[in-house]
Amino acid sequence: MEMLDSDAVLVERTLKLNDQQAFARLMLRHQLVVRSLLARCCRNDRHAVDDLVQETFLRAYLSLSSFRSEAKFSTWLYRIAFNLVADKFRRKSLDYCDLDSIQGIADNCKLLSQSDLRGDLVKALDKISEQQKIAVRLCLEEGYTHADAAEAMNLPLGTVKSHVSRGRAQLQQLLVHWGEVA
């Protein structure tokens, strides 16, 4: 097997031939991007990132038979990673939000104190719906396009755009005392 085999070929080899080397190649191919995504979500907490990367690939391996090749393997894998983080966040197991990276909000606030802004932003995020919060984080914090966020959230594109727009508008209202928000 060559390193240049497509993801689809490696998935097929893993499933049909129980080829562990094929899955190992998939892990090697995608682990840096998965790790980077999770590092941003976990404020570079290496232990949390290591655990989540391991859990992402374990879940991917265990549910590989449910992968539909209509989507790219990478998109499916990143959705698993995202869902793990979203799950942990919902359960409040860890504080995953890197507030500095929410460009559309924090960059344009007139900062009186970074810690005060963080506190206010956390409170504001808790006041918007879960779907809006996830959409805002994906698009404004993680840099996903609306289309990529729609695929990751398994929602129609228009719904994600609406969640981002409404979430941003609510955050603007909740953070109005910080100044103009983009």
Side-chain angles (χ1 to χ4, degrees), residues 1 10 13-24 61:
M1 173 174 25
L10 294 174
R13 290 181 70 101
T14 302
L15 289 172
K16 289 187 178 175
L17 305 174
N18 197 25
D19 184 345
Q20 301 303 309
Q21 291 295 328
F23 191 76
Y61 181 76

Side-chain angles (χ1 to χ4, degrees), residues 75 79 138-139 143-154 157 160:
T75 302
R79 182 180 293 166
L138 284 175
C139 294
Y144 279 51
T145 65
H146 287 111
D148 289 341
E151 193 166 342
M153 294 176 72
N154 200 24
L157 178 60
V160 170

Side-chain angles (χ1 to χ4, degrees), residues 30 72 77 109 111 129 157:
H30 296 285
K72 291 172 34 178
L77 182 65
C109 289
L111 302 179
S129 77
L157 178 60

Side-chain angles (χ1 to χ4, degrees), residues 48-164:
V49 172
D50 290 344
D51 289 346
L52 286 168
V53 168
Q54 184 176 18
E55 193 171 345
T56 297
F57 283 105
L58 177 62
R59 284 199 185 177
Y61 181 76
L62 294 174
S63 59
L64 195 58
S65 62
S66 71
F67 170 68
R68 295 182 315 241
S69 55
E70 300 133 21
K72 291 172 34 178
F73 176 79
S74 58
T75 302
W76 180 77
L77 182 65
Y78 305 155
R79 182 180 293 166
I80 291 172
F82 167 76
N83 286 340
L84 282 170
V85 170
D87 237 24
K88 300 274 185 192
F89 180 78
R90 276 188 211 100
R91 285 189 256 133
K92 299 188 188 289
S93 311
L94 291 171
D95 177 18
Y96 285 105
C97 183
D98 179 0
L99 301 174
D100 290 333
S101 67
I102 301 179
Q103 300 298 320
I105 298 166
D107 283 353
N108 293 316
C109 289
K110 295 172 184 170
L111 302 179
L112 300 174
S113 162
Q114 191 69 20
S115 62
D116 289 342
L117 173 62
R118 285 177 193 265
D120 287 355
L121 191 49
V122 167
K123 289 175 191 171
L125 284 166
D126 283 340
K127 292 180 181 178
I128 65 175
S129 77
E130 191 65 31
Q131 291 294 315
Q132 288 174 353
K133 188 182 314 182
I134 292 169
V136 165
R137 285 194 166 141
L138 284 175
C139 294
L140 301 181
E141 179 180 348
E142 296 301 326
Y144 279 51
T145 65
H146 287 111
D148 289 341
E151 193 166 342
M153 294 176 72
N154 200 24
L155 292 173
L157 178 60
T159 302
V160 170
K161 287 181 178 181
S162 177
H163 284 322
V164 171

